[in-house]
Amino acid sequence: MSKHLNELKPGEKGVVAKVKGNGPVYRRMVDMGIVPGADITVLKFAPLGDPIEIKVKGFNLSLRKTEAAMIQLEGA
């Protein structure tokens, strides 16, 4: 069963299966280490739900929900 990153709740984890999209947003996510096989943990949401703070490869990152929807996870 696969989910998208924006569907996880704080504390849940997953492994990146695929990063969808193209252009500068896709390139930015890949440059930040969001690549297939990377472990991702959702840390918290902003008070209004956007952005999402995640931990990937030891770094804390913030993504918009629209960006998080482009990241497909396995094992979530």
Side-chain angles (χ1 to χ4, degrees):
M1 182 172 136
S2 67
K3 287 186 174 182
H4 290 92
L5 182 59
N6 64 326
E7 298 171 4
L8 298 184
K9 295 181 173 124
E12 292 185 323
K13 299 178 181 184
V15 177
V16 176
K18 183 178 182 182
V19 180
K20 299 178 183 176
N22 53 29
V25 175
Y26 170 82
R27 187 75 217 154
R28 182 176 148 252
M29 287 194 286
V30 170
D31 288 344
M32 290 189 298
I34 303 171
V35 294
D39 294 323
I40 290 185
T41 303
V42 175
L43 300 176
K44 60 185 174 182
F45 290 91
L48 296 177
D50 199 22
I52 301 169
E53 185 176 354
I54 63 169
K55 185 171 203 127
V56 61
K57 295 191 176 185
F59 294 97
N60 291 7
L61 303 173
S62 292
L63 295 176
R64 293 185 175 108
K65 278 191 171 182
T66 55
E67 296 168 341
M70 295 175 12
I71 301 169
Q72 186 175 352
L73 303 173
E74 58 189 32

